[in-house]
Amino acid sequence: MAKSNLQFKTNYAVSSTIEPFYKGGKVQISKDEKFIFCTCGTRVNVLQIVTGKIVHSIEQDDQEDITSFALSLDDEILVTASKALLLKQWDWKQAQCTRSWRAIHNVPIASMTFDPTATLLATGGCDGTIKLWDVVKQYCTHNLKGSSGVVHLVEFHPDISLLQLFSSASDCGIRMWDLRSSQCLCVLQSHYSPVTSLAFTPDGASMVSSGRDKICTVWDLKSRTARRTVPVYEAVESVVLLPEDEDFSEIGVKTKEIHFITAGSKGVLRVWDASSARCVFAQTLPSPPSAGDPRSLTYCLPLPSSLRLATVTAEHNILLYQLPSFTTQQQFVGFNDEVLDVKFLGKGDTHIVVATNSSQLKVFDLATSSCKILYGHTDTVLSLDVFKKGSLFVSCAKDKSVRVWRQDPDSGQVSCVAQGCSHANAVGSITCSRMKESFVVSGSQDCTIKVWDLPETIPETDGDMFQLTARVTEKAHDKDVNSVAVSPNDKLLVSGSQDRLAKLWSLGAPGADLALLGVFRGHRRGVWCVQFSPMDQVLASSSADGSVKLWSLQDFSCLKTFEGHDASVLKLIFVSRGTQLLTSGSDGLVKLWTIKTNECVKTLDAHQDKVWGLHATRKDDRVVTASADSNITVWTDVTEVEQAEEQAKQEDQILKKQELSNLLHEKKYLKALGLAISLDQPHTVLKVIKAIRQGEDGAKQLEKTVLKLRQDQKESMLRYCAVWNTNARSCLDAQAVIQVMLTHLSPEELLQYQGARAHLEGLIPYTGEVGEGIKPLMPEKVSADCVC
């Protein structure tokens, strides 16, 4: 009975996407601390911090990569520099370019910044020159020469009355420029590698510089000497001063001396006392960095109003910390690389867990796009699955291990609670028990399947991580095991392999071995995915041969074959209580199939590369897809909405038809004609024309009615006439309407109508056959101008 009332799905619409917005380069935060500006190839993306959404995307017309940008301190002006050596000034809130000019630099601009008044812009070029621009009067005011190599850093002194600019280039010195005389006042020498950042004290009397030579230097700007050199034991990319008027005693700040935060190659934020050259606080990472996971930081940006700090990692993640506790407030992932798997997570499917081409897992909050990064695996994570309740999930990776993770439903925090490591090769597929949180099954490139039993009480935190041992190890296939799935009653297991076979296994009672029940043969290439139907005694498999097959569990025969993808079908899931299939392929397409009719109902096209990830919510109302193009797309089932709209449209059509009938009966021809045209019903329009012509003083009435129509309605009439004129039954009515239009409308007015020339030219041959001829009906000039 349930099935008879089942509503087949017909369409999905994109409800949200998580796409790359930062691929390296400069990052800046607006003064109001609401937006993050960052480069992404030819664009500067503006990320709203509260929602995690891209609200503006400023893109270069010339499709040249942006080399640098600067936002004025009043958040009004954005200037970008591209490889085409053009500077563009933007009204970024409208994403409109207000002016552009040649940069004069002979090579691309490497750095740029605004002065505190937002009137002067400094640009540092790869040619060793610095240029200053008056952005109000729109001209170049200074050309400062003398730097050696790329000028990668330019900063104005905070006291604008001094008119001083600081710069650093490949020669490792910090140049201090007097803008009144355009002279270099001095070169501050202390670093032995490029200077990466400068931070000024509020009074402008002191400055801290950082470098990749593992030291920070505190400068006295009045005497222009180094007051203190602080060895920090890591290559520092960014330095930020702690506010002097805040209480930071909980992180070891005891005096009112200069304290600064360093961010660099170790990936740890540390607070230093400038007077004693001591580290007073070091951030604790969630887990120690592993080999090949440097977690180095490239930027550190202060948000003084909210007492926060933003850091940018080498993996293009942006993290926001609350001071003084250094607790992580938000994380945004700028670039996901190739996405290999994705699953809905959480009690109400509020989150998604994502496996990218990396050893970290990422858990996104779909409401805010904020992300938690999970460390544990030491090589690329390949596959994921989620238990029925949605708070416990499993992962497997190239590091030959499987891990079990728990998400706290209240805080959203995720911790690894169990792991198992006995495969001999990369673990490419994983699935979990469907009824209870009792076991996990993994399939590996070592051709084996392992069943891992979970303890009855699973630890709550990663401090008590449980070590899993495989209950069963079975040599299942002759090649890589690409996919494993457990039946809804937890009694059966199916595996799909690169050896073109799918195999059905009995899981048996706890402690029992796997028993092979049957083999599904028929695919011509490797099997990528296998899934049990949630309702029937069937399973589905997808293959690199581009087909999806439905198999009987009774006799292992192929019941149906679905063909439509132009390449490998990588993932499939059952939807609509097992009556429909969703499939995704390496052609970037997602297809919706109705099993009963073998029909592809809808093709969803939102990805440019292989769609590796495909998963539906437990309510079956949303689907998430993830692709090698770095995009993650959440789709919403819009079947009911579209059907309601279609029904409303049909009801509206019925009402209009009834109204039209009433208008014709009441001889209100103008309204009837307008209504028939709005319904786009040429046959009804013709009926109205015939009724007008057959009435009293028909020709005059027709002329009066046609001339009262709006221009768009007259355009439609001309289009209809071109068709009517080809039919002997309706040609005289067409001629009558055309005569009115050609007599009363000027050629210029007629030619403004969409497709007028083509319609009029189409009238001539058929008009000749009828014998009346269009040319005698038209004034000579109209014939010449419009028809010839």
Side-chain angles (χ1 to χ4, degrees):
M1 186 68 185
K3 273 197 180 182
S4 61
N5 297 330
L6 188 64
Q7 177 70 60
F8 284 136
K9 300 182 192 307
T10 56
N11 197 10
Y12 289 88
V14 175
S15 60
S16 63
T17 55
I18 297 171
E19 54 190 347
F21 65 84
Y22 173 61
K23 295 181 180 178
K26 185 174 178 179
V27 176
Q28 192 174 341
I29 295 175
S30 60
K31 192 179 181 182
D32 61 15
E33 300 179 5
K34 291 180 180 176
F35 303 101
I36 298 173
F37 290 72
C38 49
T39 54
C40 186
T42 60
R43 304 193 304 273
V44 171
N45 286 321
V46 184
L47 181 83
Q48 190 172 35
I49 292 174
V50 175
T51 63
K53 305 291 183 192
I54 301 296
V55 289
H56 302 290
S57 193
I58 289 95
E59 184 158 17
Q60 294 280 124
D61 298 332
D62 51 19
Q63 294 298 305
E64 290 283 351
D65 281 0
I66 291 171
T67 57
S68 189
F69 73 90
L71 177 71
S72 61
L73 295 184
D74 58 5
D75 292 345
E76 290 299 318
I77 304 169
L78 177 74
V79 176
T80 61
S82 72
K83 283 186 177 176
L85 307 183
L86 275 179
L87 285 165
K88 287 180 178 274
Q89 186 174 318
W90 301 84
D91 175 354
W92 62 269
K93 290 170 186 170
Q94 305 295 326
Q96 287 181 342
C97 178
T98 53
R99 63 183 277 252
S100 64
W101 68 98
R102 299 296 298 175
I104 311 177
H105 290 278
N106 299 320
V107 286
I109 290 169
S111 57
M112 56 202 301
T113 188
F114 274 96
D115 79 326
T117 66
T119 55
L120 278 179
L121 174 73
T123 58
C126 296
D127 55 2
T129 65
I130 301 164
K131 293 180 172 36
L132 271 79
W133 309 84
D134 187 320
V135 291
V136 178
K137 295 178 181 174
Q138 304 181 2
Y139 68 96
C140 180
T141 60
H142 298 72
N143 184 19
L144 309 177
K145 295 180 180 179
S147 302
S148 172
V150 177
V151 180
H152 55 261
L153 182 65
V154 282
E155 288 287 347
F156 282 94
H157 191 283
D159 184 355
I160 192 59
S161 63
L162 294 177
L163 279 174
Q164 287 178 355
L165 179 76
F166 292 79
S167 70
S168 183
S170 307
D171 55 10
C172 309
I174 303 168
R175 293 179 182 273
M176 187 174 176
W177 302 88
D178 177 20
L179 300 182
R180 289 189 177 87
S181 62
S182 296
Q183 297 298 312
C184 177
L185 296 174
C186 66
V187 180
L188 305 176
Q189 294 284 5
S190 166
H191 293 277
Y192 297 97
S193 73
V195 176
T196 51
S197 73
L198 303 175
F200 297 90
T201 55
D203 60 6
S206 301
M207 175 181 79
V208 180
S209 63
S210 67
R212 297 192 182 109
D213 52 4
K214 304 185 179 182
I215 63 167
C216 289
T217 305
V218 183
W219 302 90
D220 185 326
L221 294 181
K222 288 179 181 172
S223 63
R224 300 171 191 171
T225 56
R227 192 192 305 167
R228 163 91 55 184
T229 298
V230 181
V232 293
Y233 312 108
E234 70 170 325
V236 180
E237 295 294 332
S238 206
V239 64
V240 170
L241 294 185
L242 275 182
E244 293 176 354
D245 50 354
E246 296 289 341
D247 179 16
F248 290 102
S249 54
E250 69 176 86
I251 56 170
V253 177
K254 307 293 185 190
T255 66
K256 290 292 182 183
E257 294 294 322
I258 295 171
H259 287 76
F260 57 89
I261 303 167
T262 57
S265 56
K266 290 186 178 177
V268 177
L269 293 172
R270 294 188 289 174
V271 181
W272 300 82
D273 183 340
S275 59
S276 63
R278 254 183 346 105
C279 175
V280 295
F281 172 83
Q283 182 190 19
T284 306
L285 288 177
S287 65
S290 57
D293 172 27
R295 291 194 219 175
S296 60
L297 302 174
T298 54
Y299 283 96
C300 184
L301 306 160
L303 288 79
S305 302
S306 55
L307 207 60
R308 289 184 295 172
L309 202 65
T311 63
V312 182
T313 72
E315 292 187 321
H316 311 123
N317 303 323
I318 301 173
L319 291 84
L320 268 68
Y321 296 100
Q322 187 65 56
L323 298 178
S325 59
F326 282 86
T327 50
T328 308
Q329 209 183 44
Q330 284 174 284
Q331 293 186 79
F332 302 108
V333 175
F335 182 60
N336 274 317
D337 203 358
E338 189 169 352
V339 187
L340 303 178
D341 205 357
V342 62
K343 292 286 186 289
F344 280 105
L345 186 65
K347 198 173 180 181
D349 295 316
T350 52
H351 294 69
I352 54 171
V353 56
V354 182
T356 62
N357 195 15
S358 123
S359 58
Q360 293 98 50
L361 283 168
K362 291 162 186 168
V363 176
F364 288 91
D365 184 332
L366 290 173
T368 63
S369 294
S370 185
C371 174
K372 288 183 174 61
I373 298 169
L374 310 182
Y375 298 91
H377 285 291
T378 56
D379 207 339
T380 306
V381 180
L382 297 173
S383 184
L384 303 162
D385 201 11
V386 181
F387 284 92
K388 192 174 182 180
K389 289 181 181 176
S391 60
L392 205 67
F393 64 97
V394 290
S395 63
C396 62
K398 280 185 180 178
D399 62 8
K400 309 174 190 175
S401 75
V402 300
R403 283 178 176 258
V404 183
W405 309 78
R406 182 190 291 283
Q407 183 189 41
D408 186 287
D410 301 318
S411 68
Q413 292 299 323
V414 182
S415 49
C416 183
V417 292
Q419 70 166 337
C421 312
S422 61
H423 274 291
N425 211 327
V427 189
S429 59
I430 196 159
T431 187
C432 46
S433 50
R434 307 267 58 112
M435 295 182 78
K436 294 179 181 176
E437 296 172 347
S438 55
F439 64 87
V440 172
V441 181
S442 60
S444 166
Q445 288 176 14
D446 62 13
C447 308
T448 67
I449 294 171
K450 287 181 185 284
V451 181
W452 313 76
D453 284 327
L454 299 184
E456 285 187 20
T457 307
I458 299 170
E460 293 293 322
T461 63
D462 51 9
D464 321 311
M465 194 187 299
F466 185 82
Q467 293 298 321
L468 298 172
T469 52
R471 181 231 302 175
V472 179
T473 300
E474 184 75 39
K475 167 75 165 61
H477 291 272
D478 295 328
K479 290 187 179 178
D480 301 2
V481 180
N482 289 333
S483 178
V484 283
V486 173
S487 63
N489 63 2
D490 281 355
K491 291 183 178 178
L492 299 173
L493 170 73
V494 64
S495 59
S497 165
Q498 206 63 34
D499 63 8
R500 308 178 189 180
L501 302 177
K503 293 186 179 182
L504 186 67
W505 308 83
S506 170
L507 280 164
D513 288 343
L514 288 177
L516 180 64
L517 300 177
V519 180
F520 303 95
R521 292 181 170 88
H523 283 296
R524 301 185 306 278
R525 302 282 294 278
V527 177
W528 274 115
C529 187
V530 285
Q531 286 291 337
F532 283 98
S533 167
M535 305 296 283
D536 301 311
Q537 295 287 304
V538 295
L539 66 84
S541 63
S542 67
S543 164
D545 61 14
S547 72
V548 176
K549 290 183 182 289
L550 208 64
W551 308 87
S552 166
L553 296 183
Q554 307 296 329
D555 57 7
F556 312 111
S557 62
C558 179
L559 303 173
K560 286 178 182 285
T561 300
F562 303 87
E563 292 181 325
H565 285 278
D566 290 332
S568 302
V569 185
L570 303 173
K571 275 283 166 72
L572 67 90
I573 55 171
F574 283 90
V575 291
S576 308
R577 281 186 257 165
T579 60
Q580 290 183 295
L581 283 170
L582 270 171
T583 60
S584 68
S586 29
D587 50 10
L589 301 176
V590 177
K591 289 181 180 284
L592 174 65
W593 307 82
T594 299
I595 292 172
K596 189 176 181 181
T597 60
N598 261 54
E599 181 191 0
C600 177
V601 180
K602 191 72 182 177
T603 298
L604 309 173
D605 186 3
H607 294 288
Q608 307 300 316
D609 208 337
K610 301 179 188 73
V611 182
W612 287 110
L614 176 66
H615 194 228
T617 58
R618 277 159 290 180
K619 285 185 177 178
D620 208 21
D621 58 344
R622 285 179 299 153
V623 168
V624 62
T625 56
S627 167
D629 63 7
S630 304
N631 288 326
I632 300 163
T633 305
V634 180
W635 307 80
T636 302
D637 176 15
V638 292
T639 304
E640 288 186 12
V641 175
E642 286 187 348
Q643 285 178 346
E645 285 175 357
E646 185 59 34
Q647 191 175 343
K649 194 176 173 183
Q650 286 174 0
E651 288 171 2
D652 187 47
Q653 292 273 43
I654 291 165
L655 288 172
K656 282 184 174 177
K657 282 177 185 175
Q658 184 59 51
E659 188 186 348
L660 185 62
S661 176
N662 295 341
L663 289 170
L664 282 172
H665 183 71
E666 295 165 14
K667 296 187 178 179
K668 294 181 178 176
Y669 296 125
L670 181 62
K671 277 190 177 179
L673 205 56
L675 190 56
I677 292 170
S678 73
L679 289 167
D680 197 22
Q681 294 182 347
H683 182 70
T684 313
V685 176
L686 184 61
K687 247 169 85 177
V688 178
I689 297 292
K690 284 183 184 292
I692 295 171
R693 292 187 68 216
Q694 286 164 9
E696 193 178 326
D697 203 4
K700 199 170 183 184
Q701 188 67 35
L702 180 68
E703 182 179 304
K704 189 177 167 187
T705 306
V706 169
L707 293 175
K708 281 184 179 175
L709 293 173
R710 299 192 311 268
Q711 182 177 323
D712 61 310
Q713 292 172 330
K714 287 175 187 170
E715 282 178 12
S716 298
M717 284 291 286
L718 186 59
R719 179 160 48 89
Y720 298 155
C721 285
V723 179
W724 298 338
N725 198 49
T726 63
N727 191 319
R729 293 179 183 178
S730 54
C731 62
L732 293 174
D733 299 297
Q735 292 285 322
V737 174
I738 292 161
Q739 183 169 17
V740 172
M741 295 176 86
L742 294 176
T743 308
H744 294 278
L745 301 177
S746 68
E748 292 76 25
E749 195 177 342
L750 264 175
L751 286 172
Q752 285 178 0
Y753 290 2
Q754 194 175 359
R757 186 179 293 276
H759 296 322
L760 288 167
E761 284 176 353
L763 291 168
I764 295 172
Y766 291 98
T767 302
E769 285 175 22
V770 179
E772 294 295 321
I774 191 169
K775 289 175 184 174
L777 294 175
M778 298 191 289
E780 231 174 273
K781 63 172 185 171
V782 175
S783 172
D785 291 346
C786 296
V787 185
C788 296

